[in-house]
Amino acid sequence: MEKFLVTGGAGFIGSNFIRYLISRYPGCHVINLDKLTYAGNLNNLRDICGLPNYRFVRGDICDEKVVNEVMPGVDIVINFAAESHVDRSIGSPGDFIRTDVFGVYVLLEAAKRYGVKKFVQISTDEVYGSIEAGSFKETDPLMPSSPYSASKAGGDRLAYSYYVTYGLPVVITRCSNNFGPYQYPEKLIPLFITNALDDKELPIYGDGLNVRDWIYVEDHCRAIDVVMREGKDGEVYNIGAGNEKTNLEITEYILDRLGKPRSLMVFVKDRPGHDRRYSLDWGKIRGLGWEPIHSFEEAMDRTIEWYRDNRWWWEPLKSGEYLEYYRRHYQREL
Ligand code: NAD
Ligand code: DAU
């Protein structure tokens, strides 16, 4: 029975991945190591937490002691743990450098010490920076432009260095923008769905014409599985979905599906250093037999429905520190 260490498993993608792992490999063991920052939430795994093959450990990936306690016997590490929000990285870069670079180092060291069979570093398409036309390949240079993406680039290349220098079996994924259930409502899609449900304004940065390629989180989870099983050590795999949309298109889609007026849209100050467009060439992972199975419309409709039906999950999150953050960041009341 394989033993997985999933770090950051109480966050958005990590919790979806744990749910995926347990249903795909019912005999496996999963340890979820998560610090439970503001973005970590055990409600994301309410349906999993009682299972005998699942164990939650509250801990920081920068803490060598806890990492060395959980690592022995682990076959595969999947590192999702990160500070993940670009806007927050502009205000407090230090947390990002600590977790997204130093934390990766601590995990890599322990993985090397205990001889793990695979180390999957979850990187991001943002490490390439912005592209006006065309799409980035895995071999293109990295030009990250926010403290978040620069930290992720550091973690990404550090993981690679452990493959080259020490022979650690590392694979690296760089995925585009995810959406789906359990995404913290500071990110574009869950923020706009939940605000629209409450007839609150949707704050669009700049002219709203920035482009992202949106992937349903379940498609991302299957892609990670494919890379973990079939990926070649030391290699990077781009993961995209071919759903490039402007933020305005996303906003209008949400408002129309919920039957809400366009007057909820407000244009606010742009994000400093806002990348205009992300676009990936994901032919390499297609070569491993993976492609997304969810269409953008079907996955968006499911996602909108999920937030409509699960107020119990997101309403408590939009209070306290969140409201403070919102007020400070947008200079408006929620
Ligand atoms: P998230 O912010 O929802 O979750 C991050 C999780 O990591 C939280 O549970 C948090 O408590 C935990 N964490 C943070 N610092 C930690 C630390 N020092 N030690 C242990 N746990 C810690 O993020 P997400 O959107 O689920 O992203 C997961 C990973 O995927 C990140 O590495 C991110 O860079 C990457 N990624 C995200 C996207 C996206 O669109 N969301 C796309 C590509 C890649
Ligand atoms: O591309 C992958 C990355 O996608 C991940 O690595 C990051 O962890 C994840 O947060 C995400 O980064 P983005 O900055 O692209 O996502 P975000 O949801 O913050 O913003 C998406 C777009 O929407 C971006 O162009 C900024 C814009 N936006 C966002 C918010 C929160 C707005 O216009 N208004 C908003 O209030």
Side-chain angles (χ1 to χ4, degrees), residues 252-306:
E252 287 170 1
Y253 190 94
I254 291 169
L255 288 173
D256 292 351
R257 278 296 192 266
L258 288 173
K260 301 288 181 177
R262 298 279 166 95
S263 56
L264 287 179
M265 304 194 314
V266 291
F267 289 85
V268 300
K269 201 158 89 46
D270 208 354
R271 169 187 283 175
H274 195 175
D275 284 332
R276 193 64 171 169
R277 174 172 174 262
Y278 297 138
S279 181
L280 294 176
D281 176 333
W282 41 280
K284 187 169 170 184
I285 187 174
R286 204 193 263 117
L288 297 182
W290 175 88
E291 61 178 16
I293 56 178
H294 295 279
S295 75
F296 174 77
E297 288 75 14
E298 175 246 320
M300 269 300 275
D301 293 351
R302 274 180 189 229
T303 302
I304 291 170
E305 206 173 304
W306 190 85

Short mmCIF file of all heavy atoms in Angstrom, two decimals, residues 252-306:
data_model
loop_
_atom_site.label_atom_id
_atom_site.label_comp_id
_atom_site.label_asym_id
_atom_site.label_seq_id
_atom_site.Cartn_x
_atom_site.Cartn_y
_atom_site.Cartn_z
N GLU A 252 -18.79 38.28 -16.72
CA GLU A 252 -20.10 38.29 -17.39
C GLU A 252 -20.74 36.90 -17.35
O GLU A 252 -21.95 36.76 -17.17
CB GLU A 252 -19.94 38.80 -18.83
CG GLU A 252 -19.68 40.30 -18.83
CD GLU A 252 -19.26 40.87 -20.19
OE1 GLU A 252 -19.18 40.09 -21.16
OE2 GLU A 252 -19.01 42.09 -20.26
N TYR A 253 -19.92 35.87 -17.48
CA TYR A 253 -20.44 34.50 -17.43
C TYR A 253 -21.12 34.26 -16.07
O TYR A 253 -22.24 33.74 -15.99
CB TYR A 253 -19.31 33.49 -17.64
CG TYR A 253 -19.81 32.08 -17.85
CD1 TYR A 253 -20.02 31.59 -19.14
CD2 TYR A 253 -20.12 31.25 -16.77
CE1 TYR A 253 -20.51 30.30 -19.34
CE2 TYR A 253 -20.60 29.97 -16.97
CZ TYR A 253 -20.79 29.50 -18.25
OH TYR A 253 -21.28 28.23 -18.44
N ILE A 254 -20.43 34.65 -15.01
CA ILE A 254 -20.96 34.42 -13.65
C ILE A 254 -22.26 35.20 -13.46
O ILE A 254 -23.27 34.65 -12.99
CB ILE A 254 -19.90 34.83 -12.60
CG1 ILE A 254 -18.72 33.85 -12.64
CG2 ILE A 254 -20.51 34.89 -11.19
CD1 ILE A 254 -17.49 34.29 -11.83
N LEU A 255 -22.24 36.48 -13.83
CA LEU A 255 -23.44 37.31 -13.63
C LEU A 255 -24.62 36.74 -14.42
O LEU A 255 -25.75 36.65 -13.90
CB LEU A 255 -23.16 38.75 -14.05
CG LEU A 255 -22.23 39.53 -13.11
CD1 LEU A 255 -21.88 40.89 -13.71
CD2 LEU A 255 -22.85 39.70 -11.72
N ASP A 256 -24.36 36.35 -15.66
CA ASP A 256 -25.45 35.85 -16.50
C ASP A 256 -26.02 34.54 -15.94
O ASP A 256 -27.23 34.36 -15.88
CB ASP A 256 -24.97 35.64 -17.95
CG ASP A 256 -24.65 36.98 -18.62
OD1 ASP A 256 -24.97 38.03 -18.01
OD2 ASP A 256 -24.09 36.97 -19.72
N ARG A 257 -25.13 33.64 -15.52
CA ARG A 257 -25.61 32.36 -14.99
C ARG A 257 -26.44 32.54 -13.72
O ARG A 257 -27.36 31.79 -13.46
CB ARG A 257 -24.43 31.42 -14.68
CG ARG A 257 -23.93 30.68 -15.90
CD ARG A 257 -25.03 29.75 -16.44
NE ARG A 257 -24.54 28.83 -17.42
CZ ARG A 257 -24.56 29.00 -18.74
NH1 ARG A 257 -25.04 30.11 -19.25
NH2 ARG A 257 -24.10 28.07 -19.55
N LEU A 258 -26.06 33.56 -12.93
CA LEU A 258 -26.80 33.78 -11.67
C LEU A 258 -27.97 34.73 -11.87
O LEU A 258 -28.71 35.03 -10.92
CB LEU A 258 -25.85 34.33 -10.60
CG LEU A 258 -24.83 33.32 -10.04
CD1 LEU A 258 -23.84 34.00 -9.11
CD2 LEU A 258 -25.54 32.18 -9.29
N GLY A 259 -28.15 35.23 -13.09
CA GLY A 259 -29.25 36.16 -13.37
C GLY A 259 -29.07 37.48 -12.63
O GLY A 259 -30.04 38.10 -12.17
N LYS A 260 -27.82 37.93 -12.48
CA LYS A 260 -27.52 39.18 -11.77
C LYS A 260 -27.16 40.27 -12.77
O LYS A 260 -26.61 39.99 -13.84
CB LYS A 260 -26.36 38.97 -10.78
CG LYS A 260 -26.61 37.89 -9.73
CD LYS A 260 -27.64 38.35 -8.70
CE LYS A 260 -27.83 37.25 -7.66
NZ LYS A 260 -28.75 37.66 -6.59
N PRO A 261 -27.39 41.53 -12.40
CA PRO A 261 -27.17 42.63 -13.36
C PRO A 261 -25.70 42.98 -13.54
O PRO A 261 -24.90 42.84 -12.62
CB PRO A 261 -27.90 43.81 -12.70
CG PRO A 261 -27.89 43.49 -11.25
CD PRO A 261 -27.94 42.00 -11.12
N ARG A 262 -25.38 43.47 -14.75
CA ARG A 262 -24.01 43.91 -15.05
C ARG A 262 -23.60 45.10 -14.17
O ARG A 262 -22.42 45.40 -14.06
CB ARG A 262 -23.90 44.32 -16.52
CG ARG A 262 -24.18 43.19 -17.51
CD ARG A 262 -22.96 42.30 -17.66
NE ARG A 262 -23.32 41.05 -18.33
CZ ARG A 262 -23.20 40.83 -19.63
NH1 ARG A 262 -22.71 41.77 -20.39
NH2 ARG A 262 -23.56 39.67 -20.15
N SER A 263 -24.60 45.76 -13.60
CA SER A 263 -24.28 46.93 -12.76
C SER A 263 -23.50 46.53 -11.50
O SER A 263 -22.96 47.40 -10.81
CB SER A 263 -25.56 47.66 -12.37
OG SER A 263 -26.43 46.74 -11.72
N LEU A 264 -23.37 45.23 -11.22
CA LEU A 264 -22.55 44.81 -10.07
C LEU A 264 -21.05 44.92 -10.37
O LEU A 264 -20.23 44.86 -9.46
CB LEU A 264 -22.88 43.36 -9.67
CG LEU A 264 -24.23 43.14 -8.95
CD1 LEU A 264 -24.43 41.66 -8.64
CD2 LEU A 264 -24.30 43.95 -7.66
N MET A 265 -20.71 45.10 -11.67
CA MET A 265 -19.29 45.19 -12.01
C MET A 265 -18.76 46.58 -11.65
O MET A 265 -19.37 47.58 -12.02
CB MET A 265 -19.07 44.97 -13.52
CG MET A 265 -19.64 43.65 -14.00
SD MET A 265 -19.10 43.11 -15.62
CE MET A 265 -19.22 44.47 -16.65
N VAL A 266 -17.61 46.62 -10.94
CA VAL A 266 -16.94 47.91 -10.74
C VAL A 266 -15.47 47.76 -11.14
O VAL A 266 -14.86 46.72 -10.89
CB VAL A 266 -16.99 48.42 -9.27
CG1 VAL A 266 -18.39 48.81 -8.86
CG2 VAL A 266 -16.41 47.42 -8.31
N PHE A 267 -14.94 48.78 -11.79
CA PHE A 267 -13.54 48.75 -12.20
C PHE A 267 -12.72 49.44 -11.12
O PHE A 267 -13.03 50.56 -10.73
CB PHE A 267 -13.37 49.41 -13.57
CG PHE A 267 -13.96 48.56 -14.66
CD1 PHE A 267 -15.32 48.64 -14.96
CD2 PHE A 267 -13.18 47.63 -15.33
CE1 PHE A 267 -15.89 47.83 -15.94
CE2 PHE A 267 -13.74 46.80 -16.32
CZ PHE A 267 -15.09 46.90 -16.62
N VAL A 268 -11.72 48.72 -10.60
CA VAL A 268 -10.92 49.25 -9.49
C VAL A 268 -9.46 49.35 -9.94
O VAL A 268 -9.09 48.90 -11.02
CB VAL A 268 -11.06 48.37 -8.22
CG1 VAL A 268 -12.51 48.29 -7.76
CG2 VAL A 268 -10.49 46.96 -8.46
N LYS A 269 -8.65 49.92 -9.05
CA LYS A 269 -7.22 50.12 -9.32
C LYS A 269 -6.56 48.80 -9.73
O LYS A 269 -6.85 47.75 -9.15
CB LYS A 269 -6.56 50.66 -8.05
CG LYS A 269 -5.25 51.38 -8.28
CD LYS A 269 -4.96 52.32 -7.11
CE LYS A 269 -4.21 51.75 -5.96
NZ LYS A 269 -3.11 50.98 -5.91
N ASP A 270 -5.68 48.86 -10.70
CA ASP A 270 -5.05 47.63 -11.20
C ASP A 270 -4.07 47.06 -10.18
O ASP A 270 -3.54 47.79 -9.34
CB ASP A 270 -4.31 47.93 -12.52
CG ASP A 270 -4.24 46.69 -13.40
OD1 ASP A 270 -4.65 45.60 -12.96
OD2 ASP A 270 -3.76 46.82 -14.56
N ARG A 271 -3.84 45.76 -10.28
CA ARG A 271 -2.81 45.08 -9.48
C ARG A 271 -1.44 45.55 -9.97
O ARG A 271 -1.19 45.52 -11.19
CB ARG A 271 -2.99 43.58 -9.68
CG ARG A 271 -1.88 42.71 -9.14
CD ARG A 271 -2.05 41.25 -9.55
NE ARG A 271 -3.07 40.55 -8.78
CZ ARG A 271 -3.46 39.30 -9.02
NH1 ARG A 271 -2.94 38.61 -10.02
NH2 ARG A 271 -4.40 38.73 -8.28
N PRO A 272 -0.54 45.97 -9.07
CA PRO A 272 0.80 46.36 -9.54
C PRO A 272 1.49 45.17 -10.21
O PRO A 272 1.42 44.05 -9.71
CB PRO A 272 1.54 46.75 -8.25
CG PRO A 272 0.48 46.94 -7.21
CD PRO A 272 -0.70 46.11 -7.61
N GLY A 273 2.12 45.43 -11.35
CA GLY A 273 2.85 44.36 -12.06
C GLY A 273 1.93 43.27 -12.61
O GLY A 273 2.36 42.13 -12.80
N HIS A 274 0.69 43.64 -12.87
CA HIS A 274 -0.34 42.66 -13.29
C HIS A 274 0.03 41.98 -14.62
O HIS A 274 0.04 42.64 -15.67
CB HIS A 274 -1.66 43.41 -13.43
CG HIS A 274 -2.87 42.55 -13.49
ND1 HIS A 274 -4.13 43.06 -13.51
CD2 HIS A 274 -3.02 41.21 -13.52
CE1 HIS A 274 -5.00 42.08 -13.55
NE2 HIS A 274 -4.35 40.94 -13.57
N ASP A 275 0.29 40.69 -14.60
CA ASP A 275 0.61 39.96 -15.83
C ASP A 275 -0.59 40.00 -16.77
O ASP A 275 -1.72 39.73 -16.35
CB ASP A 275 0.99 38.50 -15.52
CG ASP A 275 2.39 38.38 -14.93
OD1 ASP A 275 3.24 39.23 -15.22
OD2 ASP A 275 2.62 37.41 -14.17
N ARG A 276 -0.32 40.33 -18.04
CA ARG A 276 -1.43 40.52 -18.99
C ARG A 276 -2.05 39.18 -19.43
O ARG A 276 -3.26 39.03 -19.47
CB ARG A 276 -0.90 41.27 -20.22
CG ARG A 276 -1.96 41.81 -21.14
CD ARG A 276 -2.79 42.85 -20.43
NE ARG A 276 -3.69 43.56 -21.33
CZ ARG A 276 -4.66 44.35 -20.91
NH1 ARG A 276 -4.85 44.58 -19.62
NH2 ARG A 276 -5.44 44.96 -21.77
N ARG A 277 -1.19 38.26 -19.76
CA ARG A 277 -1.74 37.00 -20.31
C ARG A 277 -0.84 35.83 -19.93
O ARG A 277 0.39 35.96 -20.00
CB ARG A 277 -1.83 37.10 -21.84
CG ARG A 277 -2.26 35.81 -22.53
CD ARG A 277 -2.52 36.05 -24.02
NE ARG A 277 -2.79 34.80 -24.70
CZ ARG A 277 -1.88 34.10 -25.40
NH1 ARG A 277 -0.63 34.54 -25.52
NH2 ARG A 277 -2.21 32.97 -25.99
N TYR A 278 -1.47 34.72 -19.54
CA TYR A 278 -0.73 33.47 -19.35
C TYR A 278 -1.21 32.50 -20.41
O TYR A 278 -2.42 32.41 -20.69
CB TYR A 278 -1.01 32.83 -17.99
CG TYR A 278 -0.58 33.67 -16.80
CD1 TYR A 278 -1.38 33.78 -15.67
CD2 TYR A 278 0.66 34.30 -16.78
CE1 TYR A 278 -0.99 34.52 -14.57
CE2 TYR A 278 1.06 35.05 -15.69
CZ TYR A 278 0.24 35.16 -14.59
OH TYR A 278 0.63 35.89 -13.51
N SER A 279 -0.26 31.75 -20.97
CA SER A 279 -0.66 30.74 -21.96
C SER A 279 0.40 29.66 -22.03
O SER A 279 1.60 29.96 -22.11
CB SER A 279 -0.83 31.40 -23.33
OG SER A 279 -1.25 30.41 -24.26
N LEU A 280 -0.04 28.42 -21.95
CA LEU A 280 0.88 27.29 -21.93
C LEU A 280 0.71 26.41 -23.16
O LEU A 280 -0.42 26.20 -23.63
CB LEU A 280 0.58 26.40 -20.71
CG LEU A 280 0.84 26.98 -19.33
CD1 LEU A 280 0.39 26.00 -18.25
CD2 LEU A 280 2.31 27.33 -19.15
N ASP A 281 1.81 25.85 -23.60
CA ASP A 281 1.78 24.75 -24.55
C ASP A 281 1.85 23.48 -23.70
O ASP A 281 2.86 23.25 -23.01
CB ASP A 281 3.01 24.86 -25.47
CG ASP A 281 3.11 23.69 -26.44
OD1 ASP A 281 2.62 22.60 -26.11
OD2 ASP A 281 3.71 23.88 -27.51
N TRP A 282 0.79 22.68 -23.72
CA TRP A 282 0.80 21.48 -22.85
C TRP A 282 0.83 20.19 -23.67
O TRP A 282 0.36 19.14 -23.23
CB TRP A 282 -0.34 21.52 -21.83
CG TRP A 282 -1.66 22.02 -22.35
CD1 TRP A 282 -2.02 23.32 -22.53
CD2 TRP A 282 -2.79 21.23 -22.76
NE1 TRP A 282 -3.31 23.39 -23.02
CE2 TRP A 282 -3.80 22.12 -23.16
CE3 TRP A 282 -3.06 19.86 -22.81
CZ2 TRP A 282 -5.05 21.69 -23.62
CZ3 TRP A 282 -4.30 19.43 -23.26
CH2 TRP A 282 -5.27 20.35 -23.66
N GLY A 283 1.50 20.29 -24.82
CA GLY A 283 1.67 19.11 -25.68
C GLY A 283 2.44 17.99 -24.98
O GLY A 283 2.20 16.80 -25.24
N LYS A 284 3.35 18.37 -24.07
CA LYS A 284 4.20 17.34 -23.44
C LYS A 284 3.37 16.39 -22.56
O LYS A 284 3.53 15.17 -22.63
CB LYS A 284 5.27 18.05 -22.61
CG LYS A 284 6.32 17.12 -22.03
CD LYS A 284 7.46 17.97 -21.47
CE LYS A 284 8.44 17.15 -20.66
NZ LYS A 284 9.47 18.03 -20.06
N ILE A 285 2.47 16.94 -21.76
CA ILE A 285 1.65 16.05 -20.90
C ILE A 285 0.60 15.32 -21.75
O ILE A 285 0.22 14.19 -21.44
CB ILE A 285 1.04 16.78 -19.68
CG1 ILE A 285 0.37 15.75 -18.77
CG2 ILE A 285 0.09 17.90 -20.07
CD1 ILE A 285 -0.14 16.28 -17.47
N ARG A 286 0.18 15.94 -22.82
CA ARG A 286 -0.74 15.24 -23.72
C ARG A 286 -0.06 13.96 -24.24
O ARG A 286 -0.71 12.93 -24.41
CB ARG A 286 -1.16 16.15 -24.87
CG ARG A 286 -2.49 15.74 -25.47
CD ARG A 286 -2.76 16.43 -26.78
NE ARG A 286 -3.62 17.60 -26.62
CZ ARG A 286 -3.23 18.84 -26.89
NH1 ARG A 286 -2.01 19.08 -27.34
NH2 ARG A 286 -4.06 19.83 -26.75
N GLY A 287 1.25 14.06 -24.43
CA GLY A 287 2.04 12.90 -24.86
C GLY A 287 2.03 11.77 -23.84
O GLY A 287 2.32 10.62 -24.17
N LEU A 288 1.69 12.08 -22.58
CA LEU A 288 1.57 11.03 -21.56
C LEU A 288 0.14 10.47 -21.51
O LEU A 288 -0.18 9.66 -20.65
CB LEU A 288 1.93 11.58 -20.17
CG LEU A 288 3.36 12.10 -19.94
CD1 LEU A 288 3.54 12.56 -18.49
CD2 LEU A 288 4.39 11.01 -20.24
N GLY A 289 -0.71 10.96 -22.39
CA GLY A 289 -2.07 10.41 -22.46
C GLY A 289 -3.11 11.21 -21.69
O GLY A 289 -4.26 10.79 -21.56
N TRP A 290 -2.73 12.39 -21.14
CA TRP A 290 -3.69 13.20 -20.38
C TRP A 290 -4.28 14.30 -21.24
O TRP A 290 -3.58 14.90 -22.08
CB TRP A 290 -3.00 13.85 -19.17
CG TRP A 290 -3.92 14.80 -18.42
CD1 TRP A 290 -4.77 14.49 -17.41
CD2 TRP A 290 -4.08 16.21 -18.66
NE1 TRP A 290 -5.45 15.61 -16.99
CE2 TRP A 290 -5.05 16.68 -17.73
CE3 TRP A 290 -3.51 17.11 -19.56
CZ2 TRP A 290 -5.45 18.01 -17.67
CZ3 TRP A 290 -3.92 18.45 -19.50
CH2 TRP A 290 -4.88 18.88 -18.56
N GLU A 291 -5.56 14.55 -21.03
CA GLU A 291 -6.16 15.81 -21.50
C GLU A 291 -7.35 16.12 -20.61
O GLU A 291 -7.88 15.23 -19.95
CB GLU A 291 -6.55 15.75 -22.98
CG GLU A 291 -7.55 14.70 -23.31
CD GLU A 291 -7.91 14.73 -24.80
OE1 GLU A 291 -7.17 15.34 -25.59
OE2 GLU A 291 -8.94 14.14 -25.14
N PRO A 292 -7.75 17.39 -20.54
CA PRO A 292 -8.89 17.71 -19.66
C PRO A 292 -10.16 17.05 -20.18
O PRO A 292 -10.34 16.92 -21.39
CB PRO A 292 -8.99 19.24 -19.74
CG PRO A 292 -8.13 19.68 -20.86
CD PRO A 292 -7.19 18.58 -21.21
N ILE A 293 -11.03 16.64 -19.25
CA ILE A 293 -12.29 16.04 -19.70
C ILE A 293 -13.50 16.95 -19.43
O ILE A 293 -14.59 16.67 -19.89
CB ILE A 293 -12.52 14.63 -19.09
CG1 ILE A 293 -12.49 14.67 -17.56
CG2 ILE A 293 -11.52 13.62 -19.62
CD1 ILE A 293 -12.76 13.31 -16.90
N HIS A 294 -13.29 18.01 -18.67
CA HIS A 294 -14.41 18.91 -18.35
C HIS A 294 -14.37 20.14 -19.25
O HIS A 294 -13.33 20.81 -19.34
CB HIS A 294 -14.35 19.36 -16.89
CG HIS A 294 -14.52 18.22 -15.94
ND1 HIS A 294 -15.76 17.72 -15.60
CD2 HIS A 294 -13.62 17.46 -15.28
CE1 HIS A 294 -15.62 16.72 -14.77
NE2 HIS A 294 -14.32 16.52 -14.56
N SER A 295 -15.48 20.45 -19.90
CA SER A 295 -15.52 21.68 -20.69
C SER A 295 -15.61 22.87 -19.72
O SER A 295 -16.05 22.72 -18.57
CB SER A 295 -16.74 21.70 -21.62
OG SER A 295 -17.91 21.97 -20.87
N PHE A 296 -15.20 24.03 -20.19
CA PHE A 296 -15.24 25.23 -19.35
C PHE A 296 -16.67 25.48 -18.84
O PHE A 296 -16.89 25.69 -17.64
CB PHE A 296 -14.74 26.44 -20.14
CG PHE A 296 -14.89 27.72 -19.38
CD1 PHE A 296 -14.02 28.05 -18.35
CD2 PHE A 296 -15.93 28.61 -19.67
CE1 PHE A 296 -14.17 29.22 -17.62
CE2 PHE A 296 -16.09 29.78 -18.94
CZ PHE A 296 -15.21 30.09 -17.92
N GLU A 297 -17.65 25.42 -19.73
CA GLU A 297 -19.03 25.76 -19.35
C GLU A 297 -19.59 24.78 -18.33
O GLU A 297 -20.17 25.18 -17.32
CB GLU A 297 -19.94 25.80 -20.58
CG GLU A 297 -19.72 26.98 -21.51
CD GLU A 297 -18.47 26.86 -22.37
OE1 GLU A 297 -17.89 25.74 -22.44
OE2 GLU A 297 -18.04 27.88 -22.94
N GLU A 298 -19.37 23.49 -18.60
CA GLU A 298 -19.90 22.47 -17.67
C GLU A 298 -19.27 22.64 -16.29
O GLU A 298 -19.94 22.61 -15.26
CB GLU A 298 -19.60 21.09 -18.27
CG GLU A 298 -19.98 19.89 -17.40
CD GLU A 298 -18.76 19.11 -16.95
OE1 GLU A 298 -17.83 18.93 -17.77
OE2 GLU A 298 -18.74 18.70 -15.78
N ALA A 299 -17.94 22.85 -16.27
CA ALA A 299 -17.23 22.95 -14.99
C ALA A 299 -17.60 24.25 -14.27
O ALA A 299 -17.75 24.27 -13.05
CB ALA A 299 -15.73 22.88 -15.23
N MET A 300 -17.77 25.34 -15.02
CA MET A 300 -18.17 26.61 -14.39
C MET A 300 -19.58 26.47 -13.80
O MET A 300 -19.84 26.95 -12.69
CB MET A 300 -18.17 27.74 -15.42
CG MET A 300 -16.87 28.48 -15.51
SD MET A 300 -16.36 29.29 -13.98
CE MET A 300 -17.24 30.81 -14.08
N ASP A 301 -20.47 25.82 -14.54
CA ASP A 301 -21.84 25.69 -14.04
C ASP A 301 -21.87 24.86 -12.76
O ASP A 301 -22.56 25.19 -11.80
CB ASP A 301 -22.75 25.09 -15.12
CG ASP A 301 -22.93 26.07 -16.30
OD1 ASP A 301 -22.48 27.23 -16.17
OD2 ASP A 301 -23.48 25.66 -17.33
N ARG A 302 -21.08 23.78 -12.74
CA ARG A 302 -20.99 22.97 -11.52
C ARG A 302 -20.45 23.78 -10.35
O ARG A 302 -20.86 23.64 -9.22
CB ARG A 302 -19.94 21.87 -11.72
CG ARG A 302 -20.39 20.61 -12.35
CD ARG A 302 -19.14 19.79 -12.39
NE ARG A 302 -19.32 18.59 -13.17
CZ ARG A 302 -18.96 17.40 -12.74
NH1 ARG A 302 -18.41 17.26 -11.55
NH2 ARG A 302 -19.13 16.37 -13.49
N THR A 303 -19.42 24.60 -10.68
CA THR A 303 -18.76 25.39 -9.63
C THR A 303 -19.72 26.43 -9.06
O THR A 303 -19.84 26.59 -7.84
CB THR A 303 -17.49 26.06 -10.23
OG1 THR A 303 -16.65 25.02 -10.73
CG2 THR A 303 -16.75 26.88 -9.20
N ILE A 304 -20.43 27.11 -9.95
CA ILE A 304 -21.38 28.13 -9.50
C ILE A 304 -22.45 27.47 -8.62
O ILE A 304 -22.79 27.98 -7.54
CB ILE A 304 -22.02 28.84 -10.72
CG1 ILE A 304 -20.96 29.70 -11.44
CG2 ILE A 304 -23.23 29.68 -10.31
CD1 ILE A 304 -21.38 30.25 -12.79
N GLU A 305 -22.90 26.31 -9.06
CA GLU A 305 -23.92 25.57 -8.29
C GLU A 305 -23.37 25.19 -6.91
O GLU A 305 -24.06 25.28 -5.90
CB GLU A 305 -24.26 24.31 -9.07
CG GLU A 305 -25.63 23.76 -8.82
CD GLU A 305 -25.89 22.62 -9.81
OE1 GLU A 305 -25.78 22.86 -11.04
OE2 GLU A 305 -26.15 21.52 -9.34
N TRP A 306 -22.10 24.76 -6.90
CA TRP A 306 -21.50 24.33 -5.63
C TRP A 306 -21.47 25.49 -4.62
O TRP A 306 -21.84 25.32 -3.46
CB TRP A 306 -20.08 23.78 -5.84
CG TRP A 306 -19.56 23.13 -4.59
CD1 TRP A 306 -19.76 21.83 -4.18
CD2 TRP A 306 -18.78 23.76 -3.55
NE1 TRP A 306 -19.16 21.63 -2.96
CE2 TRP A 306 -18.55 22.79 -2.55
CE3 TRP A 306 -18.27 25.04 -3.38
CZ2 TRP A 306 -17.81 23.05 -1.39
CZ3 TRP A 306 -17.55 25.32 -2.21
CH2 TRP A 306 -17.32 24.32 -1.23
#
